[in-house]
Amino acid sequence: MCNKESMRAAFGQTLLEMGRENPQIVALAADLSVSTKTSMFAKEFPDRFFQMGVAEADMMGTAAGLATCGKIPFASTFAIFAAGRAWDQVRNTICYSGLNVKIIATHGGLDVGEDGASHQGIEDVSLMRAIPSMRVVVPSDATQTKEVIRAVAKEEGPFYVRLVRSMSCLIYEGPSGFELGKAIRVRDGKDVTIMSMGPLLWEALEAARTLAKEGVQARVVDMASVKPIDGDEIEAAANETSGIVSVEDHVLNGGLGSAIAEVAARRRPVKMRMVGIDNTFGQSGSPGSLYKKFGLTRENISQQAKILLEEKQE
């Protein structure tokens, strides 16, 4: 059991508060302002809100133009549209010029549930991580979302922040201490390391609690800052534990596990197991049933950790 809050609502409220503090902040939406919660900003600042209709590419181009005029645009829509439909504009119009545009993508991952594969943004982190100058952040709960939104507003240049649709478990009762490029160790352990991003961090913690009952001490690390990623924390996990289990609501190709493996290969090779979506599309169903089908569960996480430990002993 856990206390749950909405990451989208945390974003909308924080954007509204920042809008009151800084008149340069503007918001853009692609016909989904109620769902993305930019409607909160629109209601109080109608002259600083731009409803672009179902035209995500146009939204990104307009955000880029506003950034060249000194504005701080927050462009928001579903992850599948922000990263997929508007990829060319994000790459060539925003990132190539290093413009100060903040893309807040809601409804990421299988968590979209019944909306089905066409609306499940499960490749977005990979698509955004590949673009030079783009920073990618995946907050783990509503508390951290507030910190992340304020942090990206202060940093110059493009950001992609991924949120989910459902209410998610609160991991942090107080500030998480989020810093761009820094991982957060939320549970210590010497046997194996579990690294995750987004709400699945809660499942990683539950898996660690289960493992502890079996005598396995698992370290759990919040990898909200996917790019830049904390290479020192990855190297420490490789040196101090038997291996790393990556956990993500995303395809394995190019996601968090890939990002960790890239660092490990360069700095300190280590055994890894990857929990994620393996080269397949999602499908329609409740988030819980989809997580079970694709193995994004505490049971599979703990099982992968035990397999890794067994392999280490061979």
Side-chain angles (χ1 to χ4, degrees), residues 32 35 78 80-81 107 109-121 165 282-287 290:
L32 292 167
S35 296
F78 290 6
I80 189 69
F81 305 133
H107 296 65
L110 292 174
D111 178 79
V112 174
E114 289 84 350
D115 285 359
S118 64
H119 282 57
Q120 290 164 354
R165 176 191 207 171
Q283 64 183 62
S284 181
S286 68
L290 293 177

Side-chain angles (χ1 to χ4, degrees), residues 63-65 67-68 93-102 133 156-159:
T68 66
T93 307
I94 295 173
C95 292
Y96 185 64
S97 300
L99 295 176
N100 193 28
V101 175
K102 321 303 179 187
S133 85
E156 186 75 17
F159 274 91

Side-chain angles (χ1 to χ4, degrees), residues 122 193 243 261 306:
I122 58 175
T193 300
K306 287 188 280 191

Side-chain angles (χ1 to χ4, degrees), residues 183-196 201 203-209 211-212 215-223 230-247 260 270 301-302 305 308-309:
I184 301 169
R185 200 177 295 186
V186 292
R187 182 184 175 98
D188 283 324
K190 60 180 177 56
D191 294 327
V192 64
T193 300
I194 305 172
M195 292 183 158
S196 188
L201 182 66
E203 291 299 304
L205 281 165
E206 288 295 299
R209 293 177 185 121
L211 288 166
V216 176
Q217 299 303 315
R219 179 180 301 179
V220 181
V221 182
D222 183 351
M223 303 296 287
D230 191 340
D232 290 342
E233 186 67 25
I234 295 169
E235 188 171 353
N239 285 327
E240 298 166 9
T241 67
S242 296
I244 298 171
V245 179
S246 63
V247 181
I260 294 168
V270 63
I301 296 167
S302 59
L308 190 150
L309 288 168

Side-chain angles (χ1 to χ4, degrees), residues 13 56 59 69 72 98 105 112 149 153 155 167 195 198 227 304:
Q13 182 61 39
E56 292 81 8
M59 179 175 71
C69 299
I72 305 173
V112 174
I149 296 302
E155 289 275 345
M167 304 275 279
M195 292 183 158
K227 183 187 176 187
Q304 296 304 315

Side-chain angles (χ1 to χ4, degrees), residues 89-281:
Q89 286 68 31
V90 172
R91 178 188 185 275
N92 288 330
T93 307
I94 295 173
C95 292
Y96 185 64
S97 300
L99 295 176
N100 193 28
V101 175
K102 321 303 179 187
I103 300 169
I104 312 300
T106 65
H107 296 65
L110 292 174
D111 178 79
V112 174
E114 289 84 350
D115 285 359
S118 64
H119 282 57
Q120 290 164 354
I122 58 175
E123 311 91 350
D124 56 323
V125 171
S126 177
L127 287 167
M128 292 293 105
R129 200 169 69 83
I131 304 176
S133 85
M134 177 62 88
R135 276 78 54 89
V136 180
V137 183
V138 185
S140 296
D141 72 0
T143 301
Q144 192 177 62
T145 297
K146 298 173 186 175
E147 296 171 68
V148 167
I149 296 302
R150 286 193 172 275
V152 303
K154 292 177 181 175
E155 289 275 345
E156 186 75 17
F159 274 91
Y160 180 83
V161 179
R162 185 208 219 205
L163 309 178
V164 296
R165 176 191 207 171
S166 301
M167 304 275 279
S168 58
C169 288
L170 274 180
I171 295 167
Y172 301 103
E173 297 298 332
S176 72
F178 171 81
E179 292 183 49
L180 186 65
K182 295 293 184 183
I184 301 169
R185 200 177 295 186
V186 292
R187 182 184 175 98
D188 283 324
K190 60 180 177 56
D191 294 327
V192 64
T193 300
I194 305 172
M195 292 183 158
S196 188
M197 64 180 188
L200 280 183
L201 182 66
W202 178 263
E203 291 299 304
L205 281 165
E206 288 295 299
R209 293 177 185 121
T210 300
L211 288 166
K213 296 176 183 175
E214 302 174 24
V216 176
Q217 299 303 315
R219 179 180 301 179
V220 181
V221 182
D222 183 351
M223 303 296 287
S225 181
V226 179
K227 183 187 176 187
I229 200 164
D230 191 340
D232 290 342
E233 186 67 25
I234 295 169
E235 188 171 353
N239 285 327
E240 298 166 9
T241 67
S242 296
I244 298 171
V245 179
S246 63
V247 181
E248 56 193 310
D249 182 358
H250 189 271
V251 293
L252 296 178
N253 311 70
L256 176 64
S258 295
I260 294 168
E262 289 166 13
V263 173
R266 291 172 179 166
R267 296 178 56 161
R268 174 66 166 80
V270 63
K271 277 187 172 290
M272 285 189 66
R273 305 289 295 184
M274 297 182 182
V275 174
I277 304 160
D278 194 2
N279 196 35
T280 184
F281 290 104

